[in-house]
Amino acid sequence: MFQANSDYLKLPGSYLFSTIAKKTAAYQKEHPDAKLIRMGIGDVTQPLPPAVIKALHKAVDEMGAAETFRGYAPDLGYEFLRHAIAKNDYRARGCDIADDEVFVSDGAKSDSGNIQEIFERDNIIAVCDPVYPVYVDSNVMAGRTGTYDEAATRWSNVVYMPCTEENGFAPDFPDRVPDVIYICSPNNPTGEALKKTQLQSWVDYANKNHAVIIFDSAYEAYISEDDVPHSVYECDGARTCAIEIKSFSKNAGFTGLRLGATIVPKDLKDHNGQALYPLWARRHGTKYNGAPYIVQRAGEAVYSDEGRKEVRAMVGRYMDNAAFIKSSLKEMGYTVYGGVNSPYIWLKTPDAMTSWEFFDYLLDRANVIGTPGSGFGPSGEHFFRLTSFGTKEASAQAMERIRSL
C-alpha cells in the first residue's frame, strides 16, 4: 500500500487539474474583472436530460415512503441498472456480457484509480503517453514502482507508450511485455480513437502475453466513425484479457451525480491464472457501499426511449462545438487533432511554446483556460487540450479571442 515517503514526492506536486484550478484562481484574484472562458477541465455544462430529472424525482418520492424506502444499495449495483447496461451497451452490440459481470460504481475515475488493487505490486504497467494522470498516479501511490530513472523521470515498473503525430497517436507495442495495459479510446487527452483492427491487435497481443487490458470507454458516446469500436468486447477474445470501465458523466451529464460501471468477465484471468472477477467483487463489496438508489434509477432512465433521444441531442451539441472549434483553429493556422470521435481538441502550441507557456499566454492574453499537454505525460509537451463542453456562445467567443491574438 501507499507509503508517504520521499519516493512518492517524485510524482507531480499536485494533481494536474488541481494545479490548473489554483493558477486560474490566482489569476482571477489579481484580475477580478476578467471574464474567463473555461475550456480546460472536461466538465459538462448542459443540464441533466429531462428523463433523468423525472427519474430522480420519482426515486426521491419512493425514498420518502416507508413501503418503498431503500437503504444500502447492493454493493455490485441494482439488478435493474446492471441489466440495462449489459443489454444496451454490450449485448445490443454483439458483446457477450452477462448482467452479473457489470459492477456499478460512483464513476469511472474512482474505478480507474481503484482497479489496480486487484493486481500484484510488482506488475509492469503500460500506459499511453500522453495519458489520463489517474492511471499512473494511482499505481505509483500503490507502490507499483520498481526503481526510479532520474534521467527519464519515471519509474521502471511504468512503461510509457508514446502516442505522437508520427504514429497517429496510436500506441505501438512496448519493448517490455507488461502485465497490465491501460487503453483509453477515444483517448483523453488527444481525442483520437483506435480503429477496430488496431484494438483487435492489442487484444491479440494481451492474450498472447497473458496481460490484462484495462479499457476506458468513458467517451464512447462521442464516436461517429463506423470503424471505431464502442467497446473492447467487440474484439474477438476480449473476454479473456480485458476489463472495461464506463462512465455516465460525459454521455449523460452525470458529473455531479456520479455513476459508472466496470465490466469484469468471469473467464478473465491474470498471468498467474488468478480469476479477477472474484477479486474485484471482494474488493467492491469490502470497500464500497454502492451508488445511491436515486442515482441508479437516473442511470436506468438514460436507456429509456426518451432518455436515449435526449442524450443523443446533448452529445450532438457538444460535438457541433468540437467541429466548430477544430475548424476555427485550423483556419487560424493551428495544427489540430481530435474533435471527431471525442469532445477534445488536441492542438500544437505555436512558436515552440511549452505547454505551460501557452497556458499562461492564453490565460493572460485571451482569458481562455485550457489544459497543458505536458500534464498528461512527456509526449504531451508542445500540445494543448481544449474541450467542447462549453456553450456554443462561449466557444464562439473563445475562438474570437484566440483569433485576435
Side-chain angles (χ1 to χ4, degrees):
M1 298 299 293
F2 164 57
Q3 298 293 319
N5 55 33
S6 59
D7 286 341
Y8 174 64
L9 299 179
K10 290 167 183 171
L11 278 174
S14 64
Y15 184 55
L16 169 62
F17 297 104
S18 298
T19 302
I20 291 173
K22 290 175 183 176
K23 287 176 73 72
T24 301
Y27 182 86
Q28 187 76 80
K29 185 176 180 179
E30 292 181 10
H31 306 83
D33 296 329
K35 306 297 183 184
L36 303 182
I37 299 178
R38 302 172 188 272
M39 303 178 72
I41 296 176
D43 196 357
V44 296
T45 56
Q46 294 181 54
L48 289 166
V52 169
I53 297 296
K54 188 186 302 181
L56 282 168
H57 281 298
K58 182 180 178 182
V60 167
D61 289 341
E62 290 180 33
M63 296 289 279
E67 62 273 17
T68 53
F69 174 75
R70 306 278 181 155
Y72 287 122
D75 50 18
L76 306 187
Y78 284 102
E79 174 57 28
F80 61 78
L81 182 55
R82 299 172 85 190
H83 175 72
I85 292 171
K87 176 184 176 182
N88 294 284
D89 290 334
Y90 297 98
R91 293 196 289 271
R93 295 192 174 111
C95 306
D96 180 21
I97 296 297
D99 294 2
D100 63 356
E101 292 175 321
V102 177
F103 295 78
V104 176
S105 72
D106 61 353
K109 181 178 181 180
S110 295
D111 283 358
S112 295
N114 294 329
I115 196 71
Q116 51 78 24
E117 292 187 18
I118 65 175
F119 296 98
E120 295 177 329
R121 184 169 178 170
D122 62 352
N123 277 181
I124 305 298
I125 308 299
V127 297
C128 295
D129 171 25
V131 64
Y132 181 45
V134 169
Y135 306 155
V136 176
D137 288 11
S138 59
N139 276 282
V140 172
M141 291 169 76
R144 201 167 284 110
T145 55
T147 57
Y148 189 74
D149 185 332
E150 294 286 354
T153 63
R154 63 183 58 167
W155 294 99
S156 64
N157 277 21
V158 180
V159 177
Y160 283 79
M161 302 181 293
C163 296
T164 64
E165 289 177 291
E166 289 70 28
N167 63 9
F169 300 101
D172 298 316
F173 299 139
D175 294 334
R176 300 170 63 199
V177 175
D179 300 296
V180 181
I181 304 162
Y182 285 83
I183 295 176
C184 177
S185 179
N187 180 262
N188 177 15
T190 67
E192 296 294 314
L194 296 180
K195 307 296 186 184
K196 174 72 177 293
T197 54
Q198 293 173 308
L199 186 57
Q200 182 66 61
S201 70
W202 276 102
V203 169
D204 295 341
Y205 173 87
N207 277 319
K208 177 182 177 181
N209 292 284
H210 306 290
V212 175
I213 294 172
I214 298 177
F215 186 77
D216 187 342
S217 66
Y219 302 95
E220 64 84 16
Y222 295 84
I223 293 172
S224 63
E225 297 179 320
D226 293 337
D227 58 349
V228 174
H230 291 254
S231 167
V232 69
Y233 301 115
E234 294 178 42
C235 296
D236 295 336
R239 280 187 58 87
T240 57
C241 71
I243 292 170
E244 183 163 311
I245 299 174
K246 66 176 282 82
S247 171
F248 284 77
S249 288
K250 303 304 192 293
N251 67 330
F254 276 45
T255 54
L257 284 183
R258 307 308 307 142
L259 187 66
T262 291
I263 316 303
V264 186
K266 292 181 180 177
D267 39 357
L268 172 64
K269 297 179 180 180
D270 67 11
H271 67 281
N272 291 320
Q274 169 66 55
L276 297 180
Y277 180 93
L279 289 184
W280 184 243
R282 180 63 182 268
R283 189 268 169 208
H284 212 60
T286 301
K287 295 190 173 183
Y288 185 60
N289 266 337
Y293 173 73
I294 61 173
V295 176
Q296 293 196 48
R297 280 298 187 192
E300 180 189 32
V302 170
Y303 298 100
S304 67
D305 291 341
E306 183 184 5
R308 288 173 184 273
K309 180 179 179 181
E310 292 163 358
V311 165
R312 282 196 299 269
M314 175 184 289
V315 169
R317 286 191 285 271
Y318 289 137
M319 289 310 293
D320 286 346
N321 260 359
F324 168 74
I325 294 168
K326 185 173 186 176
S327 63
S328 297
L329 290 170
K330 280 189 170 182
E331 290 172 4
M332 298 178 212
Y334 287 91
T335 301
V336 191
Y337 300 95
V340 175
N341 295 297
S342 82
Y344 293 129
I345 307 299
W346 190 241
L347 63 114
K348 276 187 110 168
T349 58
D351 304 322
M353 284 187 185
T354 68
S355 299
W356 280 105
E357 285 173 347
F358 190 61
F359 174 90
D360 292 334
Y361 177 73
L362 276 190
L363 177 59
D364 185 52
R365 300 283 297 276
N367 290 170
V368 172
I369 303 163
T371 308
S374 61
F376 297 100
S379 293
E381 184 57 279
H382 301 298
F383 280 88
F384 201 76
R385 193 193 77 174
L386 295 175
T387 82
S388 64
F389 286 123
T391 65
K392 180 179 179 179
E393 295 74 19
S395 298
Q397 187 176 10
M399 293 303 100
E400 284 304 311
R401 291 182 184 183
I402 294 175
R403 193 187 304 273
S404 66
L405 293 176

